Amino acid sequence: MVNPSAKQDPEALLAAKLASLPTTPGCYLFIDKAGAVVYVGKAKSLRSRVRSYFQESGSDARYFIPILRKIVADLETVVTATEKEAAVLENELVKQHKPRFNVKLRDDKDFLCLKLDTQKAWPMLETVRRPAPDKARYFGPYHSATSARRTLHLVNKHFQLRTCSDTEMASRRRPCLQYQIKRCLAPCVMDVDRELYTEMVRSVALFLEGRHDELTGELTTRMRDASRELEFERAAIYRDQLRAVEAVREAQRVVYVKDVDQDVVGIYREGTLVEVEVILVRRGRVTDTLSFSLRNMELPDDEVLGGFLNEYYGVASTTIPDEVLVPVLPDGAEGVAEWLGDRRGRKVALFVPQRGPRVDLLKMANENAAHAFREKQRSSDDLEARLEEIRERLRLPTLPRRIECCDISHLGGGDTVGSIVALLDGQPDKKRYRSFNVKSVADGDDYAAMYEVLSRRFRRGKAARQASPASTADSEAAPGAEGAPESDVMEGVTESDMMESDPAESDALESDATEGDLADEDIGSATASDAPPETEGTPVSAAAERESAGSGGDVSRRAEAGGGEWDLPDLFVVDGGRGQLQVALSAARDLGLHGLPIVGLAKERETQTGEKLVDRVYLPGQKNGIPLRSTSSALFFLARARDEAHRFANHARKRLGKARRLRSEIEDIPGLGSAVRTALLRELGSMEGVRRATDAQILGVTGVTKRHLSALRKVIPSPESSQPDAPAEDTGDLSKARGLTR
């Protein structure tokens, strides 16, 4: 987009465009003074719709109109032949420009969906984030990862589809544990009836579509047929599936007796905060409810709802019903309904109910939206109260919105790993988790390991503070300015949190984290070759960990380049009592961070007989710990940070041990990249084959050069070097000829 012409008055230019608008369907784009698209909309008549935004009459009381008139400097229109084309084009323009005022249901990731690829020989149900046009069946999207995985677990428990990947299935030689507990038919190695497996796949599809009445009838028929044929094991499978379906149906509420599928969309708003509730009704039963929170929605309800429908039903996995009930029709409703019908393959009705049971359904959806809005607001208010309790109990200067916790884990003194986890407003912020491979302390010395980990973490926090714009502005007057000794760094706590890349889903908080949740491994002062092969993360965070103890200038430059990724939290918690707290305080004070709030959290015996364990918080300069009740809000957040740090440290330690056990000798040879190492092992068979290989054989490996050969020979000598008397004429091996000339 180009900026409005500087030669012509922007208001006059805008007025001229408004006067020349056509009466045909199409899309319009509002552009601000910087040339960015701030809103995309569609209209049945561009002239009447767009001009309504700029009418001066006092009858238009929509609160977004004054804001719109202030920021919009230009507009563009795209004429379409039909309202359906306008709806399709609007969806594409929103994806292209990402306007600030349009509805966005996602941040940087998609919702989880369930994928059932019926084109495979043995289909399986799996979770995906981005549906692909691969002719597979998708179900969802699910508004939370927990809901999606709960459904997946229920299906795997009762319908016995395979759960292993295609690679695992091809390499199996015997059934896995899922077959032993009768949760899989083991098509990987067993002779499975393909007709039975196909029936299972169809049952799963009906179950996920919410067609429980149809599924119940089919399962009942199959169970009776299997009983007549004396196949009682198969009949038992159908019986268990019937019980699972009945259990789900009992939790469903019958709201409308009619053989149609419906989505009922309710809306509630307070100012720019909007809550949208979608009730899924299948064959007259409520099968699920979805809640979506929208912020900064300056537009009226009809446009918010229109944008929501485009976003929600634009996902490939969304099941489109027979009817969509809405509280207010969006502009171009006929085109939206036609677009939905094309996506579904059958006609879809989009309307506002006026009488009958549909009105009650819509009323229930609006009430649920208002209830969800109030619950989320109440959760926010409750969070403030909890944080205030922590601030008062621990005598903190500010609310501890950002909390970090450190824990050390090792196995018999080896594979020592330190972890630092982060909480943001009481919720785990997994993108900012850090793990540190401890290298420079004696085995089993928890105090020394904690000192090393915290020194490395605090050193980066200090460098980030010095590199921040606030500290730069005060550098001439405040201690800790550039050139000042480390002990003179200025005190205080920033409000920025750590940064960490999280390869796992980061949508809603999961109760059970998997190995994918492990963040980047901090390899400290070790060399690149010391890092485990499974280390993940961005090059920036890996490089930020490789400085030596005296490389403060490099740390400062990296911290400045990385922004606030290492800024210190509002509260730092160490897992332990007075001893661990003194270590943390020493690590901070040695770097001049005297104002960082640090506490220790330990679970200790309340009586001499050890009948009861209580959590105590230890504060600096205070001998006795503060006991916290199990119902205390302060304990809730601190214990969550402590438990998460413990889990994360153990997870990192297991990965480090696995990497050490599976590590190959060739990975310790400097000068050989991963591609060259892989090529050598693949073409020469093993490490023993590399040792026996001649120079000519090694140079014959794809991608290996003389430079790689030289690096390899510095560690593994040529096999011909042990036979100096062998004549060079017997072979053209370069290494033998070189041996004779020595």
Side-chain angles (χ1 to χ4, degrees), residues 180-199:
Q180 303 296 335
I181 62 177
K182 298 187 182 302
R183 290 193 178 183
C184 179
L185 298 176
C188 50
V189 294
M190 307 298 290
D191 186 15
V192 178
D193 185 355
R194 189 172 293 276
E195 181 180 353
L196 172 63
Y197 199 90
T198 303
E199 289 179 352

Side-chain angles (χ1 to χ4, degrees), residues 296-561:
N296 300 323
M297 290 290 104
E298 304 284 353
L299 302 170
D301 290 350
D302 58 342
E303 298 198 33
V304 171
L305 192 60
F308 173 81
L309 295 178
N310 282 343
E311 280 281 295
Y312 180 71
Y313 292 109
V315 180
S317 60
T318 304
T319 301
I320 301 178
D322 302 310
E323 298 177 353
V324 179
L325 311 183
V326 293
V328 58
L329 284 177
D331 196 47
E334 294 180 3
V336 175
E338 190 176 351
W339 169 67
L340 291 175
D342 287 349
R343 289 185 56 80
R344 183 175 183 241
R346 287 189 296 172
K347 183 179 179 180
V348 176
L350 174 67
F351 60 94
V352 179
Q354 302 296 328
R355 62 183 65 87
R358 292 187 178 93
V359 175
D360 296 332
L361 281 176
L362 185 60
K363 181 180 178 181
M364 183 174 65
N366 289 329
E367 291 175 351
N368 282 326
H371 175 72
F373 183 90
R374 287 191 292 268
E375 285 297 312
K376 293 177 182 179
Q377 290 296 109
R378 188 168 64 182
S379 298
S380 177
D381 296 339
D382 184 55
L383 171 65
E384 296 290 333
R386 291 187 177 191
L387 295 178
E388 180 61 29
E389 180 183 347
I390 297 178
R391 190 191 68 80
E392 292 179 357
R393 294 294 301 273
L394 305 185
R395 300 191 288 274
L396 302 176
T398 59
L399 284 181
R401 294 193 175 278
R402 295 175 177 85
I403 303 176
E404 291 183 15
C405 184
C406 176
D407 190 22
I408 302 296
S409 177
H410 61 81
L411 183 62
D415 298 337
T416 305
V417 171
S419 73
I420 291 181
V421 302
L423 298 186
L424 181 60
D425 285 338
Q427 296 295 326
D429 193 3
K430 294 185 178 181
K431 294 188 297 182
R432 293 166 174 84
Y433 284 17
R434 289 282 183 182
S435 63
F436 297 79
N437 297 342
V438 180
K439 301 283 186 179
S440 60
V441 301
D443 291 342
D445 191 344
D446 285 357
Y447 286 167
M450 179 170 287
Y451 183 88
E452 177 189 332
V453 170
L454 295 182
S455 295
R456 289 155 62 180
R457 187 312 173 223
F458 292 157
R459 187 183 304 119
R460 289 160 179 78
K462 174 186 174 182
R465 175 179 295 176
Q466 292 175 333
S468 66
S471 64
T472 302
D474 300 333
S475 60
E476 295 182 0
E482 187 175 0
E486 288 189 343
S487 59
D488 293 333
V489 68
M490 66 177 178
E491 300 178 3
V493 182
T494 62
E495 295 186 357
S496 298
D497 47 338
M498 299 166 59
M499 185 194 75
E500 182 72 319
S501 61
D502 178 18
E505 40 204 66
S506 62
D507 39 23
L509 172 64
E510 295 299 322
S511 57
D512 296 321
T514 61
E515 183 173 346
D517 294 325
L518 185 62
D520 302 354
E521 303 246 350
D522 181 350
I523 61 176
S525 58
T527 61
S529 61
D530 291 330
E534 296 182 0
T535 295
E536 304 171 358
T538 61
V540 173
S541 57
E545 298 297 327
R546 294 194 180 105
E547 89 289 351
S548 61
S551 58
D554 293 338
V555 179
S556 179
R557 285 191 295 271
R558 280 192 291 270
E560 185 175 2

Side-chain angles (χ1 to χ4, degrees), residues 2 8 48 132 175 189 228 257 265 267 314-315 336 393 405 413 434 474 523 543 581 636 657 724:
V2 296
Q8 188 173 358
S48 60
V189 294
R228 286 195 207 97
V257 181
V265 183
I267 189 171
V315 180
V336 175
R393 294 294 301 273
C405 184
R434 289 282 183 182
D474 300 333
I523 61 176
L581 176 59
F636 175 79

Side-chain angles (χ1 to χ4, degrees), residues 12-28:
L13 179 63
L14 189 60
K17 289 188 176 183
L18 290 174
S20 61
L21 287 172
T23 58
T24 56
C27 292
Y28 53 92

Side-chain angles (χ1 to χ4, degrees), residues 1 36 47 49 118 254 261 293 383 455 500 510 542 650 723:
M1 300 299 172
R47 182 180 181 85
R49 183 61 174 176
T118 56
V254 178
D261 295 341
S293 299
L383 171 65
S455 295
E500 182 72 319
E510 295 299 322
N650 286 336
Q723 303 174 1

Side-chain angles (χ1 to χ4, degrees), residues 126-316:
E126 57 186 329
T127 58
V128 296
R129 288 202 176 275
R130 293 174 176 83
D134 52 5
K135 298 183 180 180
R137 300 195 64 180
Y138 292 91
F139 304 92
Y142 293 87
H143 62 296
S144 71
T146 302
S147 176
R149 292 193 172 92
R150 186 185 298 119
T151 304
L152 178 63
H153 174 75
L154 185 63
V155 170
N156 290 337
K157 180 179 180 180
H158 295 288
F159 292 93
Q160 301 187 17
L161 300 187
R162 69 180 176 99
T163 58
C164 56
S165 64
D166 296 339
T167 304
E168 292 174 332
M169 181 177 178
S171 61
R172 285 201 181 279
R173 297 296 178 264
R174 61 179 182 178
C176 64
L177 180 62
Q178 296 295 321
Y179 173 77
Q180 303 296 335
I181 62 177
K182 298 187 182 302
R183 290 193 178 183
C184 179
L185 298 176
C188 50
V189 294
M190 307 298 290
D191 186 15
V192 178
D193 185 355
R194 189 172 293 276
E195 181 180 353
L196 172 63
Y197 199 90
T198 303
E199 289 179 352
M200 297 287 188
V201 173
R202 172 174 168 76
S203 298
V204 169
L206 291 175
F207 181 79
L208 295 176
E209 289 175 351
R211 301 180 180 275
H212 297 156
D213 293 337
E214 183 178 350
L215 177 58
T216 299
E218 290 189 6
L219 291 177
T220 303
T221 303
R222 294 173 192 170
M223 182 178 65
R224 291 174 178 171
D225 293 343
S227 299
R228 286 195 207 97
E229 298 173 4
L230 304 182
E231 296 182 0
F232 298 115
E233 290 187 1
R234 178 181 292 192
I237 294 175
Y238 296 139
R239 178 203 62 197
D240 294 341
Q241 292 174 355
L242 271 173
R243 291 177 178 175
V245 175
E246 289 299 327
V248 173
R249 291 183 61 183
E250 288 177 1
Q252 296 174 354
R253 174 182 173 187
V254 178
V255 293
Y256 186 40
V257 181
K258 191 172 182 180
D259 193 27
V260 295
D261 295 341
Q262 299 167 311
D263 282 357
V264 188
V265 183
I267 189 171
Y268 179 82
R269 75 182 304 161
E270 289 186 7
T272 61
L273 302 179
V274 179
E275 193 75 20
V276 178
E277 187 85 7
V278 181
I279 298 180
L280 309 183
V281 182
R282 300 295 180 262
R283 298 297 187 266
R285 292 177 179 268
V286 175
T287 61
D288 201 0
T289 59
L290 309 176
S291 180
F292 301 91
S293 299
L294 309 178
R295 298 182 179 275
N296 300 323
M297 290 290 104
E298 304 284 353
L299 302 170
D301 290 350
D302 58 342
E303 298 198 33
V304 171
L305 192 60
F308 173 81
L309 295 178
N310 282 343
E311 280 281 295
Y312 180 71
Y313 292 109
V315 180

